[in-house]
Amino acid sequence: MDKVTVSAIETAHKWTQEHPSVKSVTEITTVDNGCLSFTAVFRVPLPSRFSKTGISRRGVRANEEVRFDFSSAFPHRAPALRLRDDFPRCFPHISPSKTWVS
């Protein structure tokens, strides 16, 4: 990847770390498909009745990992977002085709 693309990914990494809903962010790594990637753990505000178990009735966890995969076309192409394989896909705003890739 060229220096401009890497710099843009580093900026996205920094901004992700600074977001108040983000608990932690991994370092940037290269994944099998040649993309640069990092994973962020998001704090999900669950209803109080699920605070003890840390997971909702539908399977959403209080801390959810999201992997960001950046191709060499970034920032002209959005990163691919990957969720865990067993993340519930019953929500209309979650694309069922985007799954966690190990």
Side-chain angles (χ1 to χ4, degrees):
M1 287 192 200
D2 65 38
K3 288 182 182 183
V4 173
T5 302
V6 171
S7 177
I9 294 168
E10 288 171 344
T11 299
H13 183 257
K14 178 180 178 285
W15 288 350
T16 303
Q17 289 175 311
E18 294 172 355
H19 194 281
S21 293
V22 173
K23 182 176 181 178
S24 64
V25 181
T26 65
E27 294 299 318
I28 299 170
T29 61
T30 303
V31 292
D32 293 338
N33 57 9
C35 292
L36 293 182
S37 177
F38 62 82
T39 299
V41 176
F42 284 83
R43 291 181 197 94
V44 179
L46 298 178
S48 61
R49 66 179 173 250
F50 301 115
S51 62
K52 187 174 182 178
T53 61
I55 188 166
S56 75
R57 185 178 311 126
R58 292 197 175 175
V60 176
R61 298 178 184 160
N63 294 296
E64 285 289 355
E65 290 186 353
V66 178
R67 192 172 96 186
F68 294 77
D69 288 343
F70 297 85
S71 73
S72 59
F74 185 80
H76 303 290
R77 180 174 294 157
L81 304 180
R82 310 287 183 205
L83 305 172
R84 58 184 163 89
D85 285 338
D86 62 344
F87 187 87
R89 301 293 199 260
C90 59
F91 305 105
H93 60 288
I94 302 292
S95 173
S97 63
K98 300 292 183 193
T99 59
W100 184 269
V101 178
S102 302

